Amino acid sequence: MGVIESGGKIFSGRFRSVRVMKRGLGIETLLGVDLVHGGEVVIKTASAVSVSLSVRLRLEHEAQVLRQLRTASLDQSCRRAFKGKPSIPPLIQVGQEDDLFYLVMPYIPGVTLRERLERGALSVRDAVTVGRSVLTALEEAHGCGVLHRDVKPSNIIVDEGRPLKRASLIDFGLSRSERLEPMLRDVPVGTVRYISPEQAGMLDREVDARSDLYSLGVVLYESL
C-alpha cells in the first residue's frame, strides 16, 4: 500500500502522503506533497480488495472523467465548453500500488464553502463570484457530457480573501457520463438537501444538466 517514508506513504515514487483529510464510502482522501515538482496535492485512495465493486468503479470513473476533461484530443463539441482557462482541477496521475488504487490532483488552497458559511452568509458580490465560478466549471463538464450530481457547499472550495476571488468545484466521485458502468449510471446519488426532485426520484423525469443547476441554485440561496 505504498512505501512508508518520512511518516507517509509514497505513491509512484513521487507523491508522499502527509495527513488524512477525510474518509467516507470506502475512499480515503489524503493531503500530500509532490516530491518531484514541489507543491501540495490531493491523493484519493481505495483498496481494491476491501472496498465494494461500486466504490472502485466510481473512483475509476472519476479518474476517467478528469482525464476526459483535460485531454488534448477533446472532440469539437467538447472544446466549445472551454472558453478560457479550464476551471476544474486536472488529474495529475492515476495508478495502483499493491492493492491500493489511487488518483492524484492538485491541492486547492482555501476552505470549503460549507466552512465559510459557518461564519455567516455571503455578500451578494461573493455569492455572484461563487455562482460564476461554479457555472463555468459546470459548463465545461456538461459540454463534455458529464453531470456532477453532487453540487453542494462541501464540494466547493473558496479562497480566504474578502471579497472572494475564486471558487472551485471539486469531487466528481458521483458524476455520471457515458463512461460510467450501466449498473451505476441511474442509481440515485447526491446529498438530499441539494438534489433536484427528479434526481431524488420524486419526479419521473430524466436527470440532466438542469439537475446540477438546481443544486447550485440551492447552494446560492443558502449562501445568501
Side-chain angles (χ1 to χ4, degrees):
M1 296 177 64
V3 180
I4 305 298
E5 181 176 307
S6 300
K9 297 185 181 78
I10 302 294
F11 297 85
S12 190
R14 174 180 172 184
F15 307 102
R16 185 180 71 201
S17 64
V18 175
R19 62 177 174 84
V20 176
M21 299 175 69
K22 66 177 181 178
R23 293 187 178 98
L25 301 176
I27 295 174
E28 189 172 64
T29 303
L30 311 168
L31 177 66
V33 293
D34 186 336
L35 300 176
V36 174
H37 298 296
E40 295 178 310
V41 295
V42 171
I43 309 168
K44 296 182 73 170
T45 69
S47 170
V49 175
S50 61
V51 301
S52 66
L53 175 61
S54 63
V55 170
R56 170 64 185 266
L57 289 175
R58 287 202 179 280
L59 194 60
E60 291 178 347
H61 178 252
E62 181 176 8
Q64 292 170 353
V65 164
L66 293 175
R67 185 185 293 116
Q68 175 187 352
L69 294 175
R70 282 295 172 269
T71 180
S73 60
L74 295 172
D75 62 41
Q76 192 61 36
S77 63
C78 189
R79 286 180 187 274
R80 284 195 291 270
F82 290 77
K83 297 177 180 178
K85 181 180 179 181
S87 61
I88 299 173
L91 177 71
I92 296 176
Q93 187 163 318
V94 60
Q96 182 172 337
E97 295 196 10
D98 300 325
D99 74 328
L100 201 65
F101 179 79
Y102 68 91
L103 56 91
V104 183
M105 298 160 287
Y107 171 74
I108 301 174
V111 297
T112 66
L113 180 58
R114 179 184 62 80
E115 294 171 313
R116 173 62 182 79
L117 291 176
E118 290 175 354
R119 308 173 196 168
L122 299 185
S123 67
V124 172
R125 178 176 179 177
D126 285 349
V128 169
T129 297
V130 171
R132 291 182 65 178
S133 297
V134 177
L135 282 170
T136 298
L138 289 177
E139 183 180 23
E140 293 175 5
H142 295 166
C144 296
V146 176
L147 303 181
H148 188 280
R149 300 201 296 177
D150 200 22
V151 178
K152 59 184 179 180
S154 58
N155 281 339
I156 298 171
I157 302 294
V158 298
D159 63 85
E160 295 272 28
R162 291 180 181 273
L164 295 180
K165 293 182 174 60
R166 62 163 179 81
S168 301
L169 181 64
I170 62 170
D171 201 342
F172 280 75
L174 296 181
S175 64
R176 190 184 79 179
S177 75
E178 291 304 314
R179 295 172 178 266
L180 185 60
E181 290 291 328
M183 61 178 286
L184 297 175
R185 194 171 298 153
D186 296 320
V187 175
V189 296
T191 303
V192 173
R193 184 170 179 173
Y194 302 98
I195 61 177
S196 65
E198 64 271 19
Q199 193 171 331
M202 298 171 62
L203 292 178
D204 185 17
R205 295 181 180 176
E206 181 181 359
V207 176
D208 57 24
R210 292 170 292 184
S211 298
D212 280 344
L213 300 182
Y214 178 100
S215 299
L216 177 58
V218 177
V219 169
L220 294 177
Y221 177 84
E222 183 177 311
S223 297
L224 292 168

